[in-house]
Amino acid sequence: TSAHIGVTGLAVMGRNLARNFARNGYTVALHNRTVSRTRDLVRDFSDEGSFVAAESAEEFVAALERPRRLVIMVKAGGPTDAVIDEFAALLEPGDVIIDGGNAHYADTRRREKALRERGLHFVGAGISGGEEGALHGPSIMPGGSADAYESLRPMLESIAAKAPDGTPCTTHVGPDGAGHFVKMVHNGIEYADMQLIGEAYHLLRDVAGYSPARIAETFREWNTGRLDSYLIEITAEVLSHDDAATGEPFVDVVADQAEQKGTGRWTVQTALDLGVPVSGIAEAVFARSLSGHADLRSASTHLPGPAAAPLAPDDAERFAEKVEQALYASKITSYAQGWNMISSGSQEYGWDIDPGAVAAIWRAGCIIRAVFLDRIRAAFAARPDLPTLLADDRFAKEIGEAQGDWRSVVATAAGHGIPVPGFSAALASYDALRSPRLPASLTQGQRDFFGAHTYRRTDRPGTFHTLWGGDRSEVSAD
Ligand code: 6PG
């Protein structure tokens, strides 16, 4: 039998993806460097569908129908290059290699170009949804050529998550690295969302004086409204869990040092290069790094802070409502930044990414899945040339209604000495965008003063320089 598709790299993500294809009626060739993993998969799951176990790379390639389609599910970086090299040597023109790992989009661009020159298709596909998603339906973000996508489309559509309206959560995002770029931004948004939720938790705990169980209840309630999302749902689960060993809330026994595998950092590094402000994501990455600096933190515990007591119960309830408003307004701002970044990347690399289509495929399957994503899809559907999400009438109206509480929460946080870098960066970004005048004119003046870096004027075209060291007259610098 020849297999419709092959999966090499059978760690948990690869294994679950292979099972997902098989459960959807595809015959799946399996390959793993350590052969026992391949055998285990066939032994444990052959009742789910049809598998062809291959013990060598040659056997694996020979098992695939043509054009061959093989999915690589190995660690990003060196291991991915090694596996691509190994298989590319065995493939023939027209065959398709899919990299389903969390590759850096720049690596994907390089690999796609090199393989294209050899007549092979290379599809860098972002896959979100963790282990469960891989098995039951992830959100899939494929890049590469449109032709390659067409040959994969039925399979990807059948294994992908389905949005509430039944649409599969996959689309051709754009050429070469577009899929992995968009997956990277997804993860950046994921970091920002998690940070905002963490700040809401911190405020409810230390300002409202709520217990973790009470906060779990609050999040459950929020999850019935506009914040309805997977991340809020699991937050409530984590907060209502007690540690078996101590009986204490789980969240109190876990070390408060957040780790990261790097996709959030990549997002911010890339944003710096593109010159697009993603302060919410940057604050989230920095908040994780700060939490991990035990040295800096232990050297700082004696620093003075405000003496503010938790709120009285009646005030606490009103405060919790304000936190919901602040969280929602910050979320809109942070997603707007994410979409601004997608648009910059798309322009920089000529990808022509459809922003509404990205929102559509994030409605289900992925970590940031939420009711909110359908609103973003709708915003772009109503106005395909929307310059930024904040310009959408509905989002603008909601932020307008939330802004009073948002400001109050940021001020209360400062008064109580609770760090809210996500909430306050989002608010600062919002206020900066709406300001008719920014102090950037002063920055330009300073630059011109110390380095003759020149400036433009508001009242006429051209570039100018003031003779700061002389008679301070203005000269044209064109
Ligand atoms: C997903 C997740 C996935 C991974 C995160 C974890 O979309 O399914 O984003 O890719 O679990 O990247 O990231 P950190 O370890 O960096 O928090």
Side-chain angles (χ1 to χ4, degrees):
T1 51
S2 61
H4 299 107
I5 194 155
V7 179
T8 179
L10 299 175
V12 63
M13 287 295 288
R15 184 174 68 220
N16 284 357
L17 208 66
R19 291 174 57 198
N20 191 347
F21 279 117
R23 287 164 160 218
N24 278 285
Y26 295 105
T27 299
V28 187
L30 302 172
H31 175 261
N32 193 68
R33 207 157 36 118
T34 312
V35 176
S36 60
R37 271 219 170 122
T38 315
R39 293 185 190 142
D40 291 351
L41 201 168
V42 174
R43 184 195 62 214
D44 298 338
F45 302 110
S46 57
D47 57 327
E48 292 185 344
S50 161
F51 296 109
V52 181
E55 309 230 326
S56 68
E58 290 77 7
E59 238 181 83
F60 180 61
V61 167
L64 297 168
E65 70 174 24
R66 297 208 49 202
R68 301 181 184 88
R69 304 175 192 92
L70 61 104
V71 186
I72 298 178
M73 294 298 292
V74 302
K75 249 172 97 76
T80 299
D81 278 315
V83 173
I84 291 172
D85 287 347
E86 181 182 9
F87 285 103
L90 303 171
L91 296 177
E92 292 169 89
D95 290 349
V96 187
I97 299 180
I98 303 116
D99 174 14
N102 260 334
H104 193 289
Y105 75 94
D107 286 337
T108 302
R109 281 169 57 78
R110 166 177 61 76
R111 290 167 181 150
E112 196 275 340
K113 183 168 185 287
L115 292 169
R116 187 169 8 107
E117 283 162 7
R118 298 167 67 169
L120 299 173
H121 292 289
F122 183 70
V123 174
I127 301 184
S128 177
E131 300 173 23
E132 284 300 297
L135 182 59
H136 299 291
S139 170
I140 311 174
M141 297 150 245
S145 72
D147 285 351
Y149 180 71
E150 279 313 312
S151 94
L152 297 169
R153 182 192 184 117
M155 290 187 197
L156 296 184
E157 288 185 346
S158 67
I159 67 156
K162 305 298 177 290
D165 67 3
T167 322
C169 288
T170 186
T171 188
H172 181 230
V173 175
D176 60 77
H180 275 138
F181 182 91
V182 157
K183 173 59 168 53
M184 175 183 77
V185 177
H186 164 282
N187 281 29
I189 295 175
E190 168 186 311
Y191 275 52
D193 254 355
M194 291 167 69
Q195 175 64 25
L196 294 174
I197 294 171
E199 291 175 16
Y201 156 76
H202 199 175
L203 290 166
L204 293 177
R205 189 92 197 251
D206 289 355
V207 179
Y210 285 5
S211 68
R214 173 91 194 263
I215 301 171
E217 276 318 303
T218 307
F219 278 117
R220 277 196 189 103
E221 200 185 300
W222 292 355
N223 210 36
T224 62
R226 59 191 181 175
L227 283 170
D228 182 348
S229 63
Y230 172 71
L231 281 171
I232 295 275
E233 176 194 327
I234 65 162
T235 301
E237 293 298 314
V238 173
L239 287 174
S240 53
H241 178 62
D242 288 329
D243 173 51
T246 59
E248 296 294 320
F250 170 81
V251 74
D252 287 348
V253 300
V254 174
D256 63 342
Q257 301 191 350
E259 296 179 15
Q260 48 186 312
K261 288 200 285 287
T263 47
R265 186 173 62 238
W266 288 351
T267 314
V268 179
Q269 286 169 335
T270 305
L272 290 172
D273 289 338
L274 291 170
V276 55
V278 291
S279 52
I281 302 170
E283 289 298 347
V285 174
F286 284 134
R288 287 198 195 186
S289 341
L290 186 150
S291 77
H293 271 285
D295 49 345
L296 297 179
R297 290 176 66 188
S298 66
S300 311
T301 48
H302 66 286
L303 293 173
L311 302 173
D314 281 355
D315 297 335
E317 241 169 76
R318 171 70 190 110
F319 180 69
E321 289 168 17
K322 292 184 179 182
V323 172
E324 195 269 349
Q325 296 277 5
L327 178 53
Y328 187 66
S330 301
K331 186 177 168 96
I332 297 175
T333 312
S334 137
Y335 278 64
Q337 293 183 342
W339 256 269
N340 294 344
M341 177 158 179
I342 291 173
S343 143
S344 293
S346 181
Q347 267 170 40
E348 172 75 17
Y349 298 107
W351 285 327
D352 199 20
I353 297 175
D354 173 352
V358 173
I361 66 168
W362 287 350
R363 287 179 295 173
C366 67
I367 303 295
I368 66 168
R369 62 184 180 261
V371 165
F372 188 59
L373 269 314
D374 195 52
R375 313 245 343 248
I376 298 180
R377 182 204 55 75
F380 285 110
R383 227 184 116 185
D385 66 337
L386 195 66
T388 177
L389 273 183
L390 290 176
D392 172 71
D393 290 343
R394 279 173 69 191
F395 287 131
K397 181 165 174 285
E398 286 179 317
I399 286 214
E401 285 159 7
Q403 57 131 3
D405 286 346
W406 191 12
R407 295 179 194 288
S408 155
V409 166
V410 170
T412 303
H416 283 249
I418 307 293
V420 288
F423 283 6
S424 43
L427 181 57
S429 157
Y430 174 73
D431 280 333
L433 289 170
R434 35 171 296 285
S435 293
R437 291 284 293 163
L438 289 170
S441 53
L442 179 57
T443 308
Q444 285 298 78
Q446 293 161 329
R447 294 178 66 247
D448 192 56
F449 190 105
F450 63 61
H453 293 302
T454 76
Y455 51 87
R456 283 175 294 112
R457 298 181 54 101
T458 56
D459 54 356
R460 55 180 195 272
T463 327
F464 303 92
H465 167 56
T466 290
L467 301 169
W468 296 103
D471 65 359
R472 306 209 163 176
S473 60
E474 184 175 79
V475 295
S476 165
D478 287 327

